[in-house]
Amino acid sequence: MTLLPPNVKVHLAFGYTDMRKGIDGLAMLVQGILRQDPFSGHLFVFRGRKANLIKIVFWDGTGLCLFTKRLEHGVFLWPSNVEPGGTLSLTSSQLSMLIDGVDWRAPDQRWRPAIAG
């Protein structure tokens, strides 16, 4: 499934981010730390220290948008052993798996409840 138009890039920010930051604080991180343009129309994905919360910032042409998701079970998997301040590009399908809480590096291993109720 394709979530994004072909020209939109997804940038996964290395390290963890203070999730108390709002839309303006994250846009400033995109500009200052990641050295990217927050108004480019690309998506910038940040993860908190506990790894169960992500925030995505993007410019839709009329304003900055902020998407937030918290997993109730599990964590969002992130690249390890990398220096904060860098990014990794994801495909649209990898972003979709990430948002669903699936390991986008190994999509066949999904969490399922053992029993109902």
Side-chain angles (χ1 to χ4, degrees):
M1 177 170 99
T2 302
L3 291 174
L4 306 172
N7 295 336
V8 174
K9 294 181 181 175
V10 179
H11 300 278
L12 194 71
F14 292 154
Y16 60 86
T17 302
D18 180 354
M19 288 288 108
R20 295 175 294 181
K21 290 190 182 302
I23 196 167
D24 293 327
L26 292 172
M28 289 173 58
L29 283 179
V30 170
Q31 204 166 32
I33 304 295
L34 302 180
R35 306 267 187 241
Q36 300 278 340
D37 179 7
F39 308 110
S40 64
H42 300 310
L43 280 73
F44 299 92
V45 187
F46 300 90
R47 185 183 79 163
R49 184 183 297 259
K50 292 182 183 178
N52 68 338
L53 181 68
I54 60 169
K55 290 186 177 183
I56 302 172
V57 174
F58 67 100
W59 173 259
D60 71 354
T62 61
L64 280 172
C65 303
L66 179 65
F67 172 80
T68 303
K69 181 162 184 183
R70 182 184 68 215
L71 289 177
E72 298 301 325
H73 181 281
V75 295
F76 293 105
L77 296 174
W78 229 244
S80 59
N81 300 328
V82 292
E83 290 294 318
T87 65
L88 174 71
S89 291
L90 296 182
T91 65
S92 178
S93 56
Q94 287 174 323
L95 175 63
S96 180
M97 287 184 277
L98 175 71
I99 290 172
D100 285 341
V102 176
D103 184 353
W104 47 274
R105 300 164 298 183
D108 294 331
Q109 300 174 359
R110 288 186 178 228
W111 174 80
R112 279 181 53 142
I115 58 173

